Amino acid sequence: MAFPFSYQKDSMQCGIACLCMISKHYGKTIPMFFLSKICFVTTEGVSLKGIGEAAENLGIKTIAGNIKITKLSDSPLPCILHWNQNHFVVLYKVKKGEIFYVADPAKGLVKYNIEDFKKHWISTLSSGEEKGIAMFLEPTPAFYERQIDEQPIEERSFKFLFGYIRQYRRYFGQIVLGLLVGCLLQLILPFLTQAIVDVGIKKQNIGFMTDLSKDNQESFCKAKRKGVIDKLKRYIDFKYKVIQ
């Protein structure tokens, strides 16, 4: 049977994804968002200590330490390995002490020979012995008895936005009002331009153009539209000279 695999959603969630896979292996699906809540995640991700504390919270006993590669074959699997000094993976099978089956939350299910496995896992050399960091996990009855809330995704939806809207409702009102005023001005400008062309230029009504330009310049300046009026005046002057 294939090992139950979970991909990490970002580079900070490798430890959480490993714990999710371990839980699935022991017959219990625990959502990633729930594990994110109980794991202490920093900007650099979750530590081995954080994974251990989250596992204990779930009812899984843990023990971690530096061990020799020859001990992995005799150890209870799956276990969590510290990988490349900056990542976590799950070792779920060792074949004849030479082939290592790894569930890497960033890559998928990967198979390594012993030499390649050492390059990724070995972190210390003590008294001529190569060792790496591993965490072994064993579920307790509490793991199966604990009920996990699997519905928070539904609760989140868009409700979390209401708190922000209530807190800053005065500013949202100003934004909405500003948008409405801006839309109205955009609607008025085409009609204003058409009136100037139809009435002022075609009929050569100089008084209409002058009054309209003055009135609108004052109102648009209040609305911070002086640039538009300046362009409009230049356009009127040009058309008037052409007609003359």
Side-chain angles (χ1 to χ4, degrees), residues 101-186:
Y101 294 81
V102 171
D104 188 332
K107 296 181 179 179
L109 300 178
V110 188
K111 183 169 62 174
Y112 293 95
N113 60 40
I114 190 168
E115 294 303 322
D116 290 336
F117 182 81
K118 284 181 179 181
K119 292 176 183 177
H120 293 288
W121 180 60
I122 296 298
S123 59
T124 60
L125 181 62
S126 177
S127 302
E129 294 182 335
E130 297 176 320
K131 295 182 179 180
I133 298 174
M135 173 182 281
F136 301 99
L137 307 96
E138 180 183 0
T140 67
F143 172 74
Y144 298 101
E145 293 168 2
R146 174 164 183 173
Q147 298 297 316
I148 304 296
D149 181 12
E150 299 191 11
Q151 300 301 326
I153 291 180
E154 300 268 339
E155 295 175 1
R156 288 177 68 180
S157 61
F158 291 100
K159 290 182 180 179
F160 74 98
L161 289 174
F162 296 153
Y164 292 101
I165 293 174
R166 284 195 299 268
Q167 185 177 359
Y168 301 105
R169 57 183 177 275
R170 184 172 55 129
Y171 301 104
F172 276 104
Q174 293 175 1
I175 292 171
V176 171
L177 181 61
L179 289 172
L180 289 174
V181 171
C183 290
L184 287 173
L185 290 174
Q186 288 181 341

Side-chain angles (χ1 to χ4, degrees), residues 180-236:
L180 289 174
V181 171
C183 290
L184 287 173
L185 290 174
Q186 288 181 341
L187 289 173
I188 291 171
L189 278 174
F191 294 103
L192 180 61
T193 305
Q194 184 178 359
I196 292 172
V197 172
D198 293 344
V199 179
I201 296 178
K202 288 184 178 179
K203 296 183 179 181
Q204 300 185 20
N205 190 337
I206 307 304
F208 170 80
M209 289 191 296
T210 304
D211 294 340
L212 186 60
S213 131
K214 289 180 180 178
D215 292 342
N216 280 281
Q217 183 174 7
E218 182 179 355
S219 62
F220 275 87
C221 282
K222 292 179 181 178
K224 297 182 180 180
R225 291 292 190 272
K226 188 175 184 303
V228 175
I229 296 303
D230 291 341
K231 291 181 181 179
L232 190 59
K233 287 177 66 179
R234 288 196 295 269
Y235 174 77
I236 293 171

Side-chain angles (χ1 to χ4, degrees), residues 53-73:
E53 290 175 349
E56 296 286 346
N57 189 309
L58 294 173
I60 301 175
K61 290 173 58 178
T62 64
I63 183 170
N66 281 302
I67 67 167
K68 295 186 293 185
I69 193 169
T70 53
K71 295 291 184 181
L72 286 177
S73 300

